[in-house]
Amino acid sequence: MTDILTDPATEQLAAAHDQSRNGPDGQSIPTLTSHVALKRLIMLINPLSGSVGPRAVEEATAILADYECESTVVELDNDGFDARLDAALAAKPDALIVLAGDGTARTVASRAGPHGPLVAPLPGGTMNMLPKALYDTTDWKVALRLALEHGTVRNIGGGEISDADGRHTFYCAAILGSAALWAPAREAMRTGRLKLAWIYARRALRRAFTGRLRYALDGFAGRQTEALVLISPTISRAVDEDAGLEAAAMNPADTGQAVRLAVHALFTDWRQDPSVRTTAIRTASVRARSRIPAVIDGEPILLRHEARVRFLPRAFRALAPDLPVALEDTV
């Protein structure tokens, strides 16, 4: 495990794991965290999601067998998802461990809520924004052991976007407007798919300035913007945990500034761009002449032409180690 962990904080946790108690045969036996009681665990796995892999059920079962607790592994599929999630919640485990796509992890966390079981959303999706924020790794096996051996209760704040179609919860960030079109380009750049990144970037530039958003923050008079970014206190460095969501309005005046902003979005921290203004908010409303492109915790979605946002100070309880968050380029 220590070969995978390169962050100093996670290396310290890995070193602590090496000091676990020994069994009768002299081999090290991993011990569960002392910060919270973990007697019954349910792990939900979708082998077809993102970076999970076809052997995930077998591998997860083997890892859970190392620990002295009752554990059940449930394989998810699209047809029986709701029924299996309902059954998992009804069983009232101490923790629900989720190894699936970003959207599935968000759904489980939302259904568990602030009074349900602890949720451990492992990195099994494409962007893995929430798992990276909680575990600072994209290796789900490492994240699983960190949660089990060093996890504590972490109250996770977030936001809720509601439109005519329903409600959408986010725990890391939501991008509303044309800036959302840059998310696929950035993800392609991160994974080294330069040609695909260029295609997405050209598409985003073509659609820039075709429809601006009018927004209001905490009830104050609305303004217009090219895009609005809402960032949870889980990963924001600009707002305190209870202050609300970090709201960033992006206002490039022309195509040249849009290109500059796109470069910041692809290669650096987009907050450095002079056309971006940020503030802490608890509610917001947005509207546009047409449907609003959005990216919610890495998942693209098309909102209706009007939507409202509210801050959730305690959206759900996560099982995660108390790691320093080093996420400067997450959103």
Side-chain angles (χ1 to χ4, degrees):
M1 183 171 74
T2 53
D3 291 336
I4 299 173
L5 301 174
T6 57
D7 179 80
T10 49
E11 285 180 349
Q12 292 176 9
L13 292 178
H17 168 62
D18 292 338
Q19 299 175 4
S20 299
R21 63 187 176 86
N22 292 329
D25 56 0
Q27 292 185 345
S28 176
I29 298 177
T31 56
L32 290 167
T33 176
S34 60
H35 300 296
V36 59
L38 297 177
K39 297 180 180 180
R40 297 178 62 244
L41 307 175
I42 294 178
M43 185 165 181
L44 307 174
I45 300 179
N46 184 352
L48 301 180
S49 293
S51 55
V52 173
R55 298 186 62 247
V57 171
E58 176 185 344
E59 293 169 334
T61 302
I63 292 174
L64 291 172
D66 288 342
Y67 300 90
E68 292 185 349
C69 63
E70 178 186 338
S71 60
T72 303
V73 176
V74 178
E75 186 171 348
L76 297 175
D77 55 52
N78 292 332
D79 294 334
F81 173 77
D82 289 332
R84 292 179 184 183
L85 177 54
D86 288 343
L89 290 169
K92 297 183 178 180
D94 296 311
L96 270 177
I97 304 168
V98 187
L99 180 58
D102 300 314
T104 299
R106 228 176 45 245
T107 298
V108 174
S110 179
R111 290 281 303 277
H115 305 296
L118 296 173
V119 178
L122 306 182
T126 302
M127 295 190 73
N128 293 315
M129 295 180 67
L130 180 59
K132 185 180 177 185
L134 295 177
Y135 306 108
D136 199 22
T137 177
T138 57
D139 187 315
W140 69 262
K141 302 179 189 70
V142 172
L144 175 57
R145 290 196 182 274
L146 287 175
L148 294 177
E149 297 174 29
H150 307 282
T152 186
V153 179
R154 290 184 57 183
N155 292 317
I156 304 300
E160 181 185 80
I161 302 173
S162 57
D163 65 1
D165 291 335
R167 298 181 179 182
H168 315 275
T169 308
F170 64 93
Y171 307 108
C172 289
I175 307 173
L176 311 181
S178 62
L181 302 171
W182 288 100
R186 184 174 186 178
E187 182 62 18
M189 180 68 71
R190 284 182 173 181
T191 55
R193 296 173 292 175
L194 302 183
K195 184 177 180 180
L196 185 60
W198 173 245
I199 293 173
Y200 285 139
R202 289 182 61 187
R203 183 182 304 169
L205 272 178
R206 283 198 303 269
R207 293 188 59 181
F209 308 108
T210 58
R212 295 173 68 82
L213 296 179
R214 182 171 290 279
Y215 70 97
L217 304 179
D218 286 336
F220 288 97
R223 298 181 178 181
Q224 284 193 336
T225 185
E226 187 70 18
L228 186 67
V229 180
L230 302 160
I231 306 164
S232 81
T234 305
I235 63 172
S236 173
R237 292 185 171 188
V239 299
D240 295 331
E241 183 174 340
D242 297 323
L245 301 169
E246 179 188 359
M250 298 182 173
N251 288 291
D254 52 36
T255 304
Q257 288 190 10
V259 171
R260 184 194 65 214
L261 181 56
V263 170
H264 281 309
L266 288 172
F267 298 107
T268 64
D269 182 358
W270 47 264
R271 295 178 186 86
Q272 298 173 2
D273 193 278
S275 68
V276 177
R277 299 193 306 273
T278 66
T279 187
I281 60 102
R282 301 185 80 84
T283 64
S285 61
V286 295
R287 59 187 175 90
R289 293 181 179 178
S290 59
R291 300 192 70 167
I292 302 169
V295 174
I296 300 176
D297 278 357
E299 293 285 309
I301 192 172
L302 201 59
L303 298 171
R304 292 290 182 174
H305 68 284
E306 291 187 3
R308 296 188 60 83
V309 183
R310 69 185 181 103
F311 172 53
L312 303 175
R314 187 184 177 195
F316 77 97
R317 301 183 307 142
L319 175 66
D322 188 14
L323 288 174
V325 180
L327 301 170
E328 187 163 344
D329 66 341
T330 299
V331 295

